[in-house]
Amino acid sequence: MSPLEFNVSDLYVDLRQIVGRRLLLKCEGFNFAGSIKLKAATEMVDAMERAGELVPGATIVESSSGNMGIALSMVAASKGYRFICVTDVRCTRAARRMMETLGSEVHVVSSPDSSGAFLGTRIAHVQSLCRANPGFVWLNQYANPGNWTGHYRSTGPEIDKAFPELDVLFVGAGTTGTLMGCARYFRENRPSVRIVAIDSVGSVTFGTPSRTRLIPGLGTSVRPQILDESFVDDVVHVEESDTVRMCHQLVRHGYLFGGSTGTVVSGALQWLSSAEAGDDLTCVAIAPDLGSNYLDSLYHDEWLANAFLVAD
């Protein structure tokens, strides 16, 4: 079997004893790529192969802050493609090493774009590589429908099967592939489910002002083309200091999750509190990855001290 075929699709953690509310966390980090991004990476590559846009010997190029780069490194290694990941200085050392170990080439940009972030610079570098090398293929996860159809076909139906009584689904917004795939699935199959997007303060995805962000994963400095806000019922923005606090709260109970999960759980609790939601609601939040790639950042005292002061 291919390493792409292994995934734990039905693991949920009830966080009630930790956060004081019944919130079920769908854990997506149990595959060989370590994150939910393996679904979208596989879908995008398979679709481009079917369309004849990816042929043997091609080089895949993509911009990523970490998890998509790791997932595409695994897909490329499994299928025999060369892969170049364009990332930036916020990408964790562990993520870079994992990509390189899987045989990928990693380009790290260090100059911010006009907004003060790095995504624009990363995309410009990808486009420059493709112009100079006709055999290079940019998947463009920010506009590629395969980014959301992978979740429309898998993540959404998995949650629906496990919780036919679902009331609210909390989904982090990065490239918005997971968000759009799940939102489209439930709009078509169970429109009563409320879709709440969780974003980082400083992200421009939903039209809020840009601000420097230190934790890779959620949030963007360039609005993703695949986003359709008509499928989203509510949006919650989370401060990065709250992300760190939640990650540390979870790890004290033995759950080592990544920054995106800390953001999603913190945002879900904000929504549940502000909505004065009763405890009878069935609420699921999606945890995109685990925390092993964040040991040198989110879980490192020196990094936290240099990044920002977080009261424990």
Side-chain angles (χ1 to χ4, degrees), residues 7-45:
N7 187 61
V8 178
S9 63
D10 58 354
L11 177 57
Y12 294 84
V13 176
D14 189 341
L15 297 179
R16 184 197 297 271
Q17 297 301 317
I18 301 175
V19 302
R21 300 294 296 253
R22 183 171 184 260
L23 179 63
L24 296 148
L25 194 62
K26 187 181 194 314
C27 300
E28 288 280 351
F30 293 94
N31 58 58
F32 282 116
S35 83
I36 197 170
K37 294 292 187 179
L38 185 59
K39 294 176 176 178
T42 302
E43 179 75 18
M44 288 190 292
V45 170

Side-chain angles (χ1 to χ4, degrees), residues 10-292:
D10 58 354
L11 177 57
Y12 294 84
V13 176
D14 189 341
L15 297 179
R16 184 197 297 271
Q17 297 301 317
I18 301 175
V19 302
R21 300 294 296 253
R22 183 171 184 260
L23 179 63
L24 296 148
L25 194 62
K26 187 181 194 314
C27 300
E28 288 280 351
F30 293 94
N31 58 58
F32 282 116
S35 83
I36 197 170
K37 294 292 187 179
L38 185 59
K39 294 176 176 178
T42 302
E43 179 75 18
M44 288 190 292
V45 170
D46 286 351
M48 295 190 82
E49 286 178 334
R50 290 192 298 268
E53 297 175 51
L54 262 181
V55 297
T59 296
I60 298 171
V61 187
E62 186 56 278
S63 156
S64 170
S65 62
N67 281 336
M68 179 60 82
I70 294 171
L72 283 171
S73 295
M74 180 162 292
V75 173
S78 176
K79 290 176 171 283
Y81 295 112
R82 180 186 177 210
F83 174 54
I84 299 174
C85 179
V86 178
T87 189
D88 61 67
V89 292
R90 298 179 310 156
C91 180
T92 67
R93 181 171 59 183
R96 288 171 56 183
R97 287 288 298 119
M98 189 173 297
M99 287 187 271
E100 290 167 345
T101 300
L102 285 164
S104 300
E105 185 177 324
V106 181
H107 294 194
V108 182
V109 304
S110 57
S111 300
D113 56 30
S114 58
S115 71
F118 296 96
L119 182 54
T121 306
R122 285 177 7 209
I123 291 174
H125 186 71
V126 168
Q127 292 171 330
S128 176
L129 287 172
C130 291
R131 283 194 299 269
N133 301 275
F136 285 15
V137 178
W138 179 26
L139 297 181
N140 192 3
Q141 60 173 320
Y142 314 100
N144 192 322
N147 192 359
W148 66 261
T149 55
H151 300 288
Y152 178 90
R153 294 175 180 173
S154 60
T155 313
E158 288 165 3
I159 296 169
D160 193 14
K161 179 181 178 181
F163 299 98
E165 75 283 13
L166 182 66
D167 295 300
V168 186
L169 178 63
F170 299 98
V171 190
T175 63
T176 70
T178 306
L179 174 64
M180 285 292 94
C182 291
R184 287 174 180 271
Y185 172 84
F186 281 103
R187 178 66 60 85
E188 292 181 16
N189 294 278
R190 260 200 308 131
S192 62
V193 174
R194 194 165 191 85
I195 303 297
V196 180
I198 311 296
D199 200 4
S200 299
V201 171
S203 167
V204 306
T205 301
F206 294 96
T208 50
S210 176
R211 197 176 82 184
T212 299
R213 291 172 290 110
L214 302 173
I215 302 172
L218 300 188
T220 65
S221 57
V222 178
R223 178 186 168 94
Q225 292 171 255
I226 60 174
L227 173 63
D228 184 341
E229 290 187 57
S230 69
F231 288 91
V232 178
D233 296 300
D234 293 303
V235 180
V236 178
H237 286 86
V238 176
E239 292 279 359
E240 288 193 319
S241 56
D242 290 329
T243 294
V244 175
R245 288 189 186 95
M246 182 53 65
C247 286
H248 283 236
Q249 182 178 347
L250 292 170
V251 82
R252 283 196 297 269
H253 291 81
Y255 294 104
L256 181 66
F257 286 111
S260 297
T261 298
T263 303
V264 171
V265 174
S266 181
L269 294 176
Q270 287 182 39
W271 187 90
L272 289 168
S273 175
S274 64
E276 297 183 353
D279 207 35
D280 57 336
L281 288 179
T282 298
C283 303
V284 171
I286 297 176
D289 64 355
L290 301 178
S292 57

